[in-house]
Amino acid sequence: MRDAVVGGKAAPRRVGIRRPTMPERTFFGLSTGRAVILGIVVCALALTLAVPLRTYFSQRSELDSVLAERRALENDVNRLQTEKSQLDEPSRIAADARERLRFVMPGETPYQVQLPGDFGKVPEELTPDAAPTGPWYSDLWNTAVQPQGSDEPSEPTSAPMPVVQPEPAPAPPPVPQPEGGPVG
């Protein structure tokens, strides 16, 4: 190498120990700075995609549940349409009237079989309606607000049919007897 000449004089040469150059740190073949920038970009992409992916999967599960509910409702509709078509048949109407309402066709004799131990509540066991506790409008309001038992008719019991004794016909009123004597 040549010495550099500055203002007619030779520049001093640096003589001494050369420092060994440290090998550059790398991460996956990238310098440390570039690896950090790459990591930040990857994290930003992951966070950017996380919310839409979560939304996608939640909507997929919601769609599956809605489709299952729709299939169940379609099955219910089909079952109810079949039941409705069966209820329109006169033979089904007559069978329901006989079974639930205990109707009897003209000329038939109704019989009710009572098996031992198969009976309904005795009239003494039935709870009578409570006497009014206040004005009529407060009782009406309480019946609207307080939960009541089911209004659906319960299964018909095979309680014995009440025997009604005909009341004896009232005796005819006595005929007034004319009082004797001159009328005048």
Side-chain angles (χ1 to χ4, degrees):
M1 259 207 238
R2 295 187 192 182
D3 292 330
V5 178
V6 177
K9 295 185 180 177
R13 229 174 168 200
R14 291 190 184 178
V15 181
I17 303 174
R18 284 188 141 188
R19 290 187 193 171
T21 58
M22 304 239 346
E24 190 173 316
R25 292 186 180 182
T26 61
F27 188 72
F28 292 120
L30 298 173
S31 67
T32 308
R34 288 183 181 176
V36 168
I37 292 173
L38 180 64
I40 290 172
V41 169
V42 168
C43 288
L45 285 174
L47 292 175
T48 303
L49 294 175
V51 174
L53 283 176
R54 186 188 70 197
T55 305
Y56 171 77
F57 287 120
S58 67
Q59 286 178 350
R60 289 293 296 199
S61 65
E62 185 178 342
L63 176 67
D64 291 340
S65 66
V66 168
L67 289 176
E69 182 180 355
R70 180 180 176 199
R71 275 187 242 110
L73 289 174
E74 286 174 350
N75 291 340
D76 287 346
V77 167
N78 291 336
R79 181 184 52 81
L80 290 173
Q81 285 176 344
T82 303
E83 188 175 324
K84 179 185 174 196
S85 66
Q86 290 174 351
L87 288 175
D88 289 340
E89 297 174 4
S91 60
R92 174 69 184 252
I93 294 171
D96 280 348
R98 286 172 175 264
E99 181 181 326
R100 292 191 298 158
L101 303 176
R102 300 176 190 222
F103 280 14
V104 179
M105 297 300 286
E108 294 179 343
T109 304
Y111 291 100
Q112 185 172 1
V113 177
Q114 185 175 4
L115 300 174
D118 188 21
F119 57 90
K121 291 184 178 180
V122 179
E124 291 83 29
E125 293 176 1
L126 297 174
T127 57
D129 291 336
T133 57
W136 66 270
Y137 50 86
S138 65
D139 291 339
L140 178 65
W141 178 255
N142 288 337
T143 58
V145 172
Q146 295 174 352
Q148 300 291 321
S150 175
D151 289 340
E152 295 180 4
S154 61
E155 293 288 326
T157 60
S158 57
M161 296 181 80
V163 177
V164 178
Q165 296 292 335
E167 294 181 14
V175 179
Q177 297 292 331
E179 293 184 15
V183 178

